[in-house]
Amino acid sequence: MIPDDVIEQVRDAADLVGIVGETVELKRTGADYRGRCPFHGGTHRNFAVIPKKGMFYCFVCHEAGDVFTYFMKRLGMDYPTAVREVARRVGITIPERSGPTAPDPREPLFAAVATAADWFARQLRESPEGDIARQYLESRHVTMEQAQVQGLGFGPRGSGFLDAMKGLGLREEVLLDAGLIVKREDGSKVPRFRGRLLFPIHDLRSRVVAFSGRVLGDGEPKYLNSPETPIFHKGQLLYNLHLAKHGMRKAERAILVEGQFDVLRLTLAGVEEVVAPLGTGLTDEQAALLQRHTPQVILLYDSDDAGLRATFRAGDVLLRHKLRVSVATLPEGEDPDTLVQNKGAPALEQALKDSVDVLERKIQILERKDFFGSLPGRRRALDRLLPTIRAAADPISRDLYISRVAEVTGVRKDVLQREVDPKQEPAPHYRPLPPVAALPSNAEKSLLLLMMQGEPWRQRVIQAIDSEEIEFPVYRVLFETLADDAPDRLDETAARAYESLQAEGLGSDQPDALFERAVNQLEARRLDREIERINRALPFASDAEKATLAHEKVRLAAERNAKRPTYGIIQSARRKGAPGP
Ligand SMILES: [Zn+2]
């Protein structure tokens, strides 16, 4: 196999306009070149070469692709041959294979997904049932021409897809392996994407490997992705990275948004360096992928509470990979999609220009909620800021963060320094996930069970507890998705845990008593940690400091002892009755 970075190098070096221009007369129109389509042989200039994206597209027969696909489609080459041909033209030497190589066993899957993508795109353009998708796009102010260039498609209900794929010679097993159809319990097979608008997901070689389908009208989940397949690992890809990486190199930044529509809108507004995770939180692999292409990431998520939680979660992951991270804030009630539609590209550019460092953004929010006005507030603020400092793997960023947090909380820099030493407290993120079978039964679980009772319990728990206080990784994930009210975002492990908790239910426990007990236990645990920190700091402290620390320790211990669950607390909780607002 030819290494990915060599393929990248070849694609970047290739002159698509020149190559197409050898056989097609091209004329410049704005940023693109137009000519007669070499595939369907029309007489009008419906064939576009878009050098900025390194791709071609025909508005009549809808052939589309990059320089490699151009050779494959025009000359019937296979992928490696096309890469070698382009490499030869641009003067890049590809090491010869030693001996005969086996073809990539995943080739049939790539072919199946590509065939499906073409078929879905045609349904969006032509099928009567696709009208619902066309109307939906119109309602979101996306023209059919824009949708086509982006490769959008429509997956109809019914068996049309399966029949069409079989008619094209694709076997059911391959369609199953590619995640395009699903097997029902009775053994029948149905298309995975039914009644959905489809966004194709590309790998770094610009091959379609999966789809993300948005529901049209009512239905759950709102977005449905292809499952993990041999060609699609969603944690290791980013939506639109195959195009955005070129812009990222030029702009020296990436813009991370939440969903496909945000990507689409920003792309249409002329922003190239935009990517999105694929329906879940940002993974370490995705951060590592970004880090290979850019030194800086701007997070452009919704500015509501759920959006902010997602922002800071993603921020910590990116900081761990030594990226500089800033946060763009949108006007109240706007998301990236509506902002560009309502106020245009300049408003977006201004929001990006005004973006602030992720730690600074956290401080702004804590300041607004008046966390720094009191001692308990400053302690809670510190608990929220420490994970971000710890996440910062770049030593300079970390030092700047420590200085800044020392300034706002009044905690001495050297104390903070010891606090964030990664050798003593590894980031919880890196703890391996234990199997779900062994779900611990504890205060964290009680709080989740309460949240699953719906409002007002969900709100009551969110207000009492920060997600950072949930230690068990699967529970932390569940807590965050319940807090965001988005259980459809769960990964498989967390989803199984969710189901098992759902089945378990609250049982005969009094919710109020359970709540008091659980909150007290977490609070006591937090105090235990603080006492432990003091114990660790004591050997390094001067005599004067030792006295202060010892005093603080006594105070914390008293506070902790008051939090330990006792019969009295449970009784008083029972008397209080139903949860408050
Ligand atoms: Zn054509």
Side-chain angles (χ1 to χ4, degrees), residues 249-324:
R249 285 213 190 95
K250 271 180 275 166
E252 295 192 334
R253 69 177 190 194
I255 296 161
L256 191 68
V257 294
E258 274 176 297
Q260 281 87 1
F261 248 103
D262 299 329
V263 171
L264 177 58
R265 185 67 61 199
L266 263 63
T267 306
L268 296 178
V271 178
E272 293 173 60
E273 65 274 23
V274 56
V275 291
L278 293 162
T280 48
L282 191 77
T283 65
D284 269 306
E285 289 105 325
Q286 289 173 330
L289 207 53
L290 280 172
Q291 199 267 333
R292 295 220 303 263
H293 295 95
T294 182
Q296 195 204 352
V297 177
I298 300 180
L299 293 161
L300 184 66
Y301 283 18
D302 293 0
S303 298
D304 59 7
D305 285 348
L308 280 175
R309 273 193 290 274
T311 298
F312 294 130
R313 270 198 303 269
D316 285 355
V317 178
L318 293 166
L319 286 172
R320 277 202 285 276
H321 290 268
K322 300 192 178 179
L323 284 147
R324 287 205 314 278

Side-chain angles (χ1 to χ4, degrees), residues 362-381:
K362 255 192 182 179
I363 292 172
Q364 277 180 3
I365 291 167
L366 293 168
E367 258 167 1
R368 200 164 304 151
K369 294 185 179 168
D370 202 24
F371 270 68
F372 300 112
S374 67
L375 188 65
R378 282 203 294 277
R379 273 213 335 242
R380 277 176 67 90

Side-chain angles (χ1 to χ4, degrees), residues 1 89 94 96 99 198 252 284 311 458 481 518 543 557-558 563:
M1 281 227 319
R89 285 166 179 252
I94 292 178
E96 272 311 316
L198 298 180
E252 295 192 334
D284 269 306
T311 298
R458 198 177 67 90
T481 44
D543 285 349
K563 294 286 180 194

